[in-house]
Amino acid sequence: YQLKRAMLAGLPVDEIHELSKVDRWFLHQLQELVDAERAYAALAEVDAGTLRRMKRFGFSDRQLAALRGETEAEA
């Protein structure tokens, strides 16, 4: 959770790596997920392709609903 918080605060992957010694590959993968969450939450409407992409990333219906302030059924 702390790695995600650091990314949300704007710390670059290289700086997080230096501080945590977590592998850069893992940090880049996590950054991709954080970026996907941000983009999904900001959408006015979600189309089927976007929903499929988020599901391929491994997000559950509950997580997707929480990102947009919806119920699980709405997501």
Side-chain angles (χ1 to χ4, degrees):
Y1 293 110
Q2 297 305 323
L3 295 173
K4 182 178 178 182
R5 287 184 184 154
M7 290 176 175
L8 290 171
L11 270 71
V13 166
D14 287 334
E15 187 174 343
I16 295 171
H17 168 72
E18 290 302 318
L19 294 169
S20 67
K21 303 304 182 209
V22 172
D23 185 74
R24 281 185 176 91
W25 178 87
F26 178 82
L27 294 173
H28 283 289
Q29 297 300 305
L30 183 58
Q31 184 68 62
E32 188 175 359
L33 293 173
V34 169
D35 292 344
E37 281 183 339
R38 281 184 179 160
Y40 183 81
L43 291 174
E45 282 190 33
V46 177
D47 61 22
T50 301
L51 184 59
R52 276 192 299 276
R53 179 175 178 259
M54 295 301 286
K55 296 297 279 184
R56 270 187 249 126
F57 273 131
F59 290 98
S60 68
D61 290 341
R62 181 177 290 175
Q63 288 172 307
L64 295 174
L67 287 171
R68 298 181 47 80
E70 300 173 339
T71 67
E72 197 171 340
E74 290 172 322

